[in-house]
Amino acid sequence: MPDANFRVRAVSESPTRVAVKARNFTMIVDEPPNLGGDDKGANPVEYVLAALAGCLNVVGHLVANEMGFQIDKLEIDVYGPLNPARLFGKSYEDRAGYKEITAEMKVDTNADEETLKRWVEAVEDRCPVTDNLGNSTPVRVVAQELT
């Protein structure tokens, strides 16, 4: 199967807010007032958690269908600690990102416990966002002058 390519484009609206276009959708990324923003949207690290929840949802339903059981309801709670000291240049002892991320998947289904165990292992293994967060992915940040 060939690679699928994805792209977003962003335009800064203020020092804390950016409008991000993904296909035909616009997402506003902003900070809460305690971090200097206007609270017009989720902040970048919340979008990371949201991306994981969205991916786990898609893959969870896909894998359940392949395994032959039905999901009647799925709730996903994603959370983790992050020390903002590095972001603000106050300390370089902790990393800038999450120290760990936990995703709790609560599922209402007719599947037994053993099936659910195999299901969650397959979901975690096949989720692209889990893969990106759990493994090193090369990221290049480059600057160019606007023309």
Side-chain angles (χ1 to χ4, degrees), residues 32-52:
N34 66 319
L35 294 176
D38 296 319
D39 213 18
K40 302 281 187 199
N43 72 19
V45 294
E46 291 167 328
Y47 271 108
V48 168
L49 301 180
L52 179 56

Side-chain angles (χ1 to χ4, degrees), residues 10-19:
V11 176
S12 176
E13 295 182 344
S14 80
T16 61
R17 186 174 55 253
V18 64

Side-chain angles (χ1 to χ4, degrees), residues 45-131:
V45 294
E46 291 167 328
Y47 271 108
V48 168
L49 301 180
L52 179 56
C55 196
L56 290 171
N57 178 65
V58 169
V59 178
H61 282 87
L62 178 75
V63 172
N65 186 49
E66 290 172 359
M67 292 177 73
F69 70 89
Q70 182 176 328
I71 293 176
D72 295 318
K73 186 175 182 181
L74 178 60
E75 294 179 1
I76 306 165
D77 187 17
V78 185
Y79 55 90
L82 182 147
N83 182 346
R86 189 174 192 130
L87 164 68
F88 291 109
K90 303 291 185 195
S91 170
Y92 290 88
E93 291 180 24
D94 274 338
R95 60 182 290 185
Y98 285 106
K99 295 176 183 184
E100 69 177 354
I101 296 173
T102 301
E104 295 179 359
M105 299 174 64
K106 298 174 185 169
V107 60
D108 181 10
T109 181
N110 60 349
D112 61 36
E113 193 172 318
E114 183 58 36
T115 300
L116 281 180
K117 183 178 180 209
R118 289 192 336 270
W119 170 76
V120 78
E121 288 171 358
V123 170
E124 185 175 16
D125 177 65
R126 292 171 55 180
C127 173
V129 176
T130 300
D131 180 78

